[in-house]
């Protein structure tokens, strides 16, 4: 499952790069595709690693508040 999603993301990135490098293409469309890919990858990353990120963030906050008190 992850391999298929990874392949789709890579293909979208290649298509976005081709759109950006195409001198006759609309550059704004290319940038919008790049932004969309970044948002989707970020959302997938946040969904998969939400508990780890929360744990790390809580440890950081605890250490900072411990240093301040």
């Amino acid at each position: 499952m992850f391999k298929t999603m990874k392949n789709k993301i890579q293909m979208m990135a290649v298509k976005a790069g081709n759109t950006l490098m195409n001198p006759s293409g609309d550059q704004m469309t290319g940038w919008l595709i790049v932004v969309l890919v970044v948002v989707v990858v970020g959302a997938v990353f946040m969904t998969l690693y939400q508990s780890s990120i929360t744990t790390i963030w809580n440890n950081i906050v605890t250490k900072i508040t411990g240093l301040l008190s």
Side-chain angles (χ1 to χ4, degrees), residues 12-22 30 33-34:
M12 284 176 31
V14 167
K15 287 181 181 178
N18 289 341
T19 303
L20 285 174
M21 289 187 281
N22 185 359
I33 292 170
V34 169

Side-chain angles (χ1 to χ4, degrees), residues 4-68:
T4 304
M5 185 168 47
K6 184 178 177 184
N7 289 341
K8 287 182 181 179
I9 291 171
Q10 286 175 341
M11 184 55 74
M12 284 176 31
V14 167
K15 287 181 181 178
N18 289 341
T19 303
L20 285 174
M21 289 187 281
N22 185 359
S24 64
D26 185 5
Q27 191 171 13
M28 185 58 121
T29 303
W31 283 112
L32 289 173
I33 292 170
V34 169
V35 169
L36 178 64
V37 168
V38 168
V39 168
V40 168
V41 169
V44 169
F45 177 80
M46 291 294 286
T47 302
L48 293 176
Y49 299 106
Q50 184 177 9
S51 61
S52 299
I53 293 170
T54 304
T55 304
I56 292 169
W57 179 256
N58 288 338
N59 288 339
I60 291 170
V61 170
T62 302
K63 287 187 179 191
I64 290 173
T65 53
L67 292 172
L68 294 175

